[in-house]
Amino acid sequence: MNASPHWAERTFPFLGWPRLWRQHGVRGDLVAGVTVALVLVPQALAYAQLAGLPPHLGLYAALLPALVGALFGSCGALSTGPVALTSLLSGASLLSLAQPDTAEFIALAVVLALLSGLIQLVLGLLRAGWLLNLLSRPVMAGFINASALLIGLSQLPALLGLSLPRAEHFLVGLWHLFAGTDPFHLPSALYGGLTLFALVALRRLVPRLPGVLLVVASATAVSALTGFAGQGGAVVGAVPSGLPSFGLPVIDWNMLVTLFPTAFVIALVSFMEAASSATVITARTGMPWNQNQELIGQGLAKLAAAASGAMPVSASFSRSALNHASGARTGLSSLVTAAAVLLSLQYLTPLLWHLPIAVLAAVILLVVANLVDFHALTGAWKAGRDDGLAAVVTFCSTLVFAPDIQNGILTGLMLSLALMLYRDMQPRVALLGMHPDGTYRDLKRFGLEHPHPNLVIMRFDSPLTFVTARAFEEAVMSAAQAQPEVECVLVSAGGINAIDASGQHAIAVVHERLRLNGQVLAFCGLKKQAIDALERTGLWARLSEHGQYRTEHHALDALLPRLSRPSG
């Protein structure tokens, strides 16, 4: 009787909201929804600019996607909508295909939202969320830091009232801009600089106030009163009011093929951001979250963004943290936020005409400053050379490939997988001797001796698969020559937790080679799953006599009396 509601809540998470309302009430959700809306509305306009799209599309991305993400996601406190990193990825990846702020560019952004949403939805339905773990933390750290740096640099021209020329490489275009003789627009620079100063001051002095909303509203009012647009200043301009028109652009196969790699990267990166937020929030609340269900929720949110004619969305780390800190426990808070966005679209769009673009650039700069964390790169170096290399290569390649920054994270992904494979091909192998504490340990590290002149113990700390099969063969044959008169090689196999066909072939080969040399291959500590694999192929029948010892002590008690030279 209880299984059906439980299944229903897992499939449709919003069915569990009433139970949480009875425990915590709804006041926290209502307050959090309004609080997040005060931040989201100006951020949505800024992130649309970051993606190279008309500002009102940011509001569209904050409406229906927020509703869908809240209804079908497993963590109620996540705030879904436009975010800096996904917006940058979307805009940068399309620069080589179309001119920003054009109908073609918008259509491509919508298809990108559709593709990335379908990828996440399919992964979630197939319970394949584990695939997203392919992006290691060092790779993400390198990518996020480089992206934050690029975001900041990309907003400098708008902050100063300049126009960034299109170039094959972003950094080259930026260099040409600032190396040129074009003067910056003084009123724009004043708006941008003063906005940035005011945002930082409000955050430090009165962090509880909605600083972004207050500063943006004040700057818009001053812009209208002083005639900023008439002085040549760039402003948001006309923002259509009302609901978006729902539908999808015309899609052709070549467009899908071209955008698929970028859509896959967006699906990975955006979900990593959502997963990080969900992990932090649920650790504080003690409430569980489901990775695959969240994939479904985020995928459906992207599909809702595509249907709204907007760019890809994700769960914002900063807004989700604010949502949780303000008392959100269920997706009701996101519904309240979406209602506030709807009211803004219905009644406040005429007020946005005079909003300076430089002000939005300052808002973006303040947000991305929180993404910069070079300590993560140094921490990766301290953790290991391979991690550090993956982080640094990802960081550098993201900068070099810009605006095609998806190539940067793909480079880091391939490098980290290659390094992992290389590490796995060099498993830890050690010859063992009796330690004074009564255990068998690495004889080289502890200066020990072999347990017997005719016997060698070799520990193999790795799954025995096609990746390590060759290393196993070489290690066993090397161990067989570690002493002049070795009659038995005992493999301490506690670290072998899996054996595939290549691994079994390697065992059969060394078993036969040792037999022809008059030597014995023995195992101790083999785990059940390893023995089961050997039994299925019949190899266990040849190994079982000397393969089922549980410990080194057990093996030596049975093997030493058989050796030609007695111990001691």
Side-chain angles (χ1 to χ4, degrees), residues 500-567:
D500 68 2
S502 299
Q504 295 202 39
H505 177 73
I507 292 175
V509 168
V510 296
H511 178 271
E512 183 62 17
R513 289 178 65 181
L514 291 179
R515 187 188 68 79
L516 293 176
N517 292 337
Q519 298 169 309
V520 173
L521 177 66
F523 289 87
C524 68
L526 273 174
K527 296 177 179 176
K528 180 181 182 302
Q529 63 266 32
I531 295 175
D532 289 345
L534 295 169
E535 286 179 337
R536 286 193 296 270
T537 60
L539 183 57
W540 182 244
R542 297 158 59 185
L543 302 174
S544 59
E545 180 183 0
H546 298 300
Q548 48 193 338
Y549 304 121
R550 300 318 308 151
T551 65
E552 291 88 357
H553 293 286
H554 179 204
L556 291 180
D557 288 343
L559 292 170
L560 290 183
R562 303 186 182 195
L563 301 178
S564 61
R565 178 178 173 182
S567 60

Side-chain angles (χ1 to χ4, degrees), residues 412-479:
L413 172 62
M414 298 304 296
L415 177 63
S416 63
L417 292 177
L419 290 173
M420 180 187 70
L421 187 61
Y422 178 74
R423 288 195 303 268
D424 289 345
M425 292 177 68
Q426 298 179 312
R428 166 73 173 161
V429 178
L431 300 181
L432 307 184
M434 172 67 80
H435 192 272
D437 64 6
T439 62
Y440 286 90
R441 308 180 74 172
D442 188 333
L443 59 81
K444 285 187 177 180
R445 180 177 181 183
F446 296 99
L448 308 176
E449 296 182 355
H450 289 284
H452 189 277
N454 303 123
L455 183 142
V456 173
I457 304 177
M458 185 198 82
R459 187 177 66 213
F460 191 80
D461 293 331
S462 171
L464 188 45
T465 65
F466 71 96
V467 176
T468 58
R470 181 63 181 170
F472 177 80
E473 288 185 41
E474 294 176 351
V476 171
M477 298 314 299
S478 175

Side-chain angles (χ1 to χ4, degrees), residues 118-129 131-132 292 295:
L118 286 174
I119 291 171
Q120 287 187 333
L121 181 60
V122 170
L123 289 176
L125 292 174
L126 295 177
R127 301 301 188 216
L131 285 172
L132 300 180
N292 292 308
L295 263 175

Side-chain angles (χ1 to χ4, degrees), residues 32-52:
V34 174
T35 304
V36 171
L38 297 177
V39 174
L40 175 57
V41 170
Q43 276 190 356
L45 299 169
Y47 293 156
Q49 173 187 313
L50 181 60

Side-chain angles (χ1 to χ4, degrees), residues 172-226:
V172 173
L174 196 68
W175 170 260
H176 288 160
L177 174 66
F178 287 109
T181 57
D182 292 344
F184 62 87
H185 188 243
L186 182 59
S188 295
L190 287 174
Y191 268 98
L194 291 174
T195 298
L196 199 56
F197 174 80
L199 288 171
V200 173
L202 286 174
R203 172 179 287 185
R204 292 187 176 181
L205 300 177
V206 279
R208 291 185 175 276
L209 289 179
V212 174
L213 182 67
L214 292 175
V215 172
V216 168
S218 301
T220 304
V222 173
S223 170
L225 292 174
T226 59

